[in-house]
């Protein structure tokens, strides 16, 4: 028990916010700063093997031509490196997973063993992004607006 909770009692309800999508109410737990830091570390920690596997999958079947160039052990798609695109895709999936895990399960239980594959099989990518944005908005109100300024 922390000093604050010993003084005020159970304050865990303060750290729960709600949002709605498609008529469904979601409750999301607002993480502590240390939890956000740990989430960001998990998002950013990508092994060379994982990045290479994703890169190989991304370039499979590509051939040099309009907008595609093979250069120095990489493939440029437009002006972007396929290696960079692969890493960005991994980080996006991990970000979605980490933030979806903040949703409070409606029937109790835990989200600990949830994987991105579970999310992907249930929700199209557009819905994943909408849910991610709603979670960010719920746990950090006004953050998106501040970031744009």
């Amino acid at each position: 028990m922390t000093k604050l909770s010993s003084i005020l009692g159970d304050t865990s309800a303060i750290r729960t916010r709600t949002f709605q999508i498609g008529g469904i109410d979601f409750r999301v737990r607002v993480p502590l700063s240390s939890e956000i830091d740990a989430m960001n570390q998990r998002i950013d920690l990508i092994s060379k093997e994982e990045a290479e596997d994703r890169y190989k999958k991304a370039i499979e079947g590509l051939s040099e031509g309009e907008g595609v160039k093979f250069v120095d052990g990489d493939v440029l798609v437009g002006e972007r490196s396929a290696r960079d695109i692969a890493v960005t895709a991994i980080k996006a999936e991990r970000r979605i997973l980490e933030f979806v895990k903040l949703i409070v399960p409606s029937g109790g239980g835990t989200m600990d063993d949830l994987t991105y594959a579970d999310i992907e099989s249930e929700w199209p990518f557009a819905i994943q992004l909408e849910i991610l944005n709603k979670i960010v908005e719920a746990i950090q109100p006004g953050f998106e607006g501040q970031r744009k300024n």
Side-chain angles (χ1 to χ4, degrees):
M1 183 178 283
T2 67
K3 184 176 183 178
L4 189 58
S5 63
S6 67
I7 295 167
L8 299 176
D10 183 13
T11 61
S12 60
I14 292 173
R15 291 183 47 210
T16 304
R17 300 284 187 265
T18 60
F19 65 92
Q20 189 178 69
I21 294 180
I24 300 172
D25 292 321
F26 291 90
R27 291 181 27 231
V28 64
R29 183 179 53 79
V30 179
L32 299 170
S33 295
S34 60
E35 291 173 303
I36 291 281
D37 291 344
M39 288 168 60
N40 286 329
Q41 286 177 350
R42 288 190 296 272
I43 291 166
D44 290 336
L45 187 63
I46 299 170
S47 71
K48 290 181 189 253
E49 296 81 18
E50 184 179 11
E52 187 65 22
D53 288 348
R54 179 59 71 91
Y55 166 74
K56 286 178 180 175
K57 198 164 129 181
I59 65 167
E60 192 175 287
L62 286 180
S63 58
E64 195 154 355
E66 190 174 323
V68 177
K69 246 191 310 191
F70 291 79
V71 181
D72 299 326
D74 197 358
V75 177
L76 297 180
V77 179
E79 298 295 316
R80 287 209 53 205
S81 157
R83 290 189 184 281
D84 291 346
I85 292 169
V87 168
T88 299
I90 293 168
K91 286 182 179 184
E93 290 174 2
R94 287 184 177 181
R95 181 172 171 80
I96 290 166
L97 174 62
E98 290 292 334
F99 279 78
V100 167
K101 283 183 172 184
L102 294 174
I103 295 174
V104 177
S106 60
T110 179
M111 300 276 251
D112 292 345
D113 61 349
L114 187 71
T115 66
Y116 181 75
D118 297 327
I119 295 168
E120 187 176 40
S121 70
E122 186 77 23
W123 298 327
F125 191 68
I127 300 300
Q128 295 173 36
L129 291 179
E130 184 178 0
I131 289 172
L132 174 64
N133 288 333
K134 290 285 194 177
I135 292 169
V136 169
E137 186 180 299
I139 66 174
Q140 300 173 330
F143 178 74
E144 286 297 319
Q146 291 173 3
R147 203 169 80 178
K148 291 177 186 173
N149 293 330

